[in-house]
Amino acid sequence: MTRLLLIDGHPDPDRGRFVHALADSYAGGAAQAGHDVRRIDLATASFPMLRSRAEWMDGAPDPVIAEAQEAIRRAEHIVFFYPLWLGDMPALLKAFLEQTARPGFAIGEGRMPKPLLGGRSARLVVTMGMPALFYRFYYGAHSVKSFERNILKFAGIKPVASSLVGNVEGDADARAEWLAKIAELGAKAA
């Protein structure tokens, strides 16, 4: 049994969004396989945005963020689900990461910050309207690489895998295949 944390980073609470269906599918596969699954749905979470370095360094985390930090702390594997918006993650997910990945929690203070979240792995599940191969090869999957290198690995979370789900507005058969594939990943806790 693996302790999983699923972070659904789609800002729209409309359950018809494909990101939510993928998160549900992963959770279902993981639960059926006996894994311990916890979830954070950012569309229904309310927390303030950081507006200064001083706030990030010394401010006390909002209760929603403190609860999220505890969920991250206990997780062995974290799965982030989000849509690609303007070539990157939605602002709400970025604001959540800025709030949670504070010094003393995700990184130690100092000239060369020490990663404090080692011993955890992650997966990024990213949906997009364009073909995933086009995003990967033409754009170099730049935002996924940045998330992996500059946030997750910087905090000590590795290995990091990714699933790029393209053409989400496409046909129902392709979406059904992705739901099955993601459920399978959930069962393996991968």
Side-chain angles (χ1 to χ4, degrees):
M1 175 190 78
T2 303
R3 291 187 311 272
L4 301 172
L5 175 61
L6 312 185
I7 299 175
D8 183 338
H10 200 303
D12 188 345
D14 178 353
R15 297 308 296 171
R17 300 291 172 213
F18 193 52
V19 166
H20 301 315
L22 290 167
D24 291 344
S25 187
Y26 190 101
Q32 279 187 326
H35 299 294
D36 179 356
V37 181
R38 293 196 181 181
R39 287 180 74 157
I40 297 172
D41 291 310
L42 295 186
T44 59
S46 180
F47 55 88
M49 288 183 61
L50 289 175
R51 299 195 180 269
S52 71
R53 183 177 193 277
E55 205 177 338
W56 183 67
M57 293 290 292
D58 303 319
D62 179 86
V64 168
I65 297 302
E67 190 176 311
Q69 286 175 328
E70 185 52 40
I72 292 167
R73 189 177 283 115
R74 81 175 288 285
E76 295 171 298
H77 186 67
I78 305 167
V79 186
F80 295 88
F81 299 85
Y82 62 96
L84 190 69
W85 281 9
L86 293 176
D88 210 339
M89 67 181 73
L92 183 64
L93 177 55
K94 179 73 162 98
F96 173 79
L97 292 167
E98 289 172 353
Q99 279 280 15
T100 56
R102 294 167 177 255
F105 173 72
I107 54 172
E109 296 181 46
R111 260 183 197 265
M112 291 302 293
K114 179 182 177 190
L116 301 178
L117 295 176
R120 291 162 188 81
S121 57
R123 173 171 292 277
L124 308 178
V125 179
V126 185
T127 63
M128 61 198 70
M130 73 179 88
L133 284 173
F134 187 74
Y135 174 68
R136 185 178 300 277
F137 294 112
Y138 184 78
Y139 290 107
H142 59 80
S143 69
V144 169
K145 288 178 184 176
S146 176
F147 189 178
E148 179 180 343
R149 180 189 60 237
N150 301 341
I151 298 172
L152 298 174
K153 288 184 177 178
F154 188 68
I157 300 172
K158 58 186 173 184
V160 178
S162 61
S163 298
L164 304 180
V165 183
N167 296 327
V168 295
E169 306 296 326
D171 68 67
D173 291 339
R175 287 193 301 272
E177 286 177 28
W178 268 109
L179 291 171
K181 186 183 291 189
I182 293 295
E184 195 175 298
L185 287 172
K188 294 176 187 174

